[in-house]
Amino acid sequence: MPDAREAIEPPETSGPLELATVRDATPGDATACAAIYAPYVTDTAITFETEVPDVAAMAARIETAQRAHAWLVLEDATGAVVGYAYAGPFKERAAYRWSCEVSVYLAGDRRGRGGGRRLYEALLERLTARGYRMAAAGMTQPNEASGRLHAAMGFAPVGTYRDIGWKFGASHDVTWVQRRLGEPLPPGGAGENPPEPT
């Protein structure tokens, strides 16, 4: 999975995405997703990846996310994929199995037009239906746009790792936020198995 550290949606600069559709991603969307993601890797510290994943790697990430979490894409009125959002494990140890890490990426010319909210709304609904109870996201600082998006989606800040990542010759802080999904798990009533894919 790619780093799920941050989502980005700068201030609105143009009209809303007309007739945009959110749907489940398939491996066939890997080319579009890889193209959207590449500038974040090469030109920003928004993701801490330093090598752009190829189409095959992106397709594998989509398949992995779909097995137990979710990967969604946003299509514009022409059917072009202009953004995506996904979730993966927050951490691998069993006690974290009811929590997940989320992220959203938009094509550069589609930011600030409501696409991030559309994707997150659908993603969080899907994760809740699959049984997850907490979503977390990390944001490389500074990133006011991402902070606004997460706040609008009900995420609350829980802390900042200082100088945790090194990219482009500088260290970067990462602020973490989280949001509850659904009702809290009842004591002793959650069972020992992770959420089942639906």
Side-chain angles (χ1 to χ4, degrees):
M1 295 287 289
D3 287 337
R5 288 192 166 87
E6 40 305 71
I8 181 168
E9 187 166 352
E12 186 163 335
T13 56
S14 58
L17 284 168
E18 297 296 334
L19 304 176
T21 302
V22 176
R23 63 167 175 81
D24 285 306
T26 71
D29 296 310
T31 298
C33 291
I36 291 167
Y37 186 54
Y40 290 90
V41 176
T42 59
D43 303 335
T44 80
I46 284 172
T47 176
F48 284 169
E49 283 199 87
T50 57
E51 298 293 329
V52 176
D54 62 19
V55 173
M58 190 64 76
R61 294 175 183 191
I62 291 170
E63 289 184 314
T64 297
Q66 293 290 38
R67 279 198 288 271
H69 293 86
W71 188 302
L72 305 175
V73 295
L74 179 72
E75 290 183 339
D76 68 10
T78 71
V81 172
V82 296
Y84 66 91
Y86 65 91
F90 176 69
K91 288 192 178 288
E92 296 296 335
R93 293 186 178 176
Y96 292 111
R97 65 192 177 277
W98 306 105
S99 299
C100 53
E101 188 175 343
V102 298
S103 190
V104 56
Y105 291 93
L106 295 167
D109 62 345
R110 306 307 175 101
R111 301 176 197 160
R113 298 171 62 185
R117 288 173 180 81
R118 291 280 306 279
L119 282 161
Y120 254 176
E121 286 168 358
L123 180 68
L124 297 174
E125 181 179 345
R126 179 70 55 84
L127 294 169
T128 302
R130 284 194 157 185
Y132 292 99
R133 288 297 173 258
M134 191 66 69
M139 300 171 286
T140 305
Q141 297 302 307
N143 195 335
E144 293 181 9
S146 185
R148 287 193 298 270
L149 173 60
H150 284 93
M153 296 305 303
F155 286 80
V158 292
T160 298
Y161 290 119
R162 303 295 181 188
D163 298 323
I164 196 70
W166 182 269
K167 189 174 181 182
F168 299 141
S171 60
H172 302 278
D173 296 348
V174 175
T175 295
W176 283 87
V177 294
Q178 68 182 64
R179 174 190 147 151
R180 190 174 299 282
L181 303 174
E183 297 298 321
L185 293 169
E192 295 302 318
N193 297 318
E196 292 292 333
T198 56

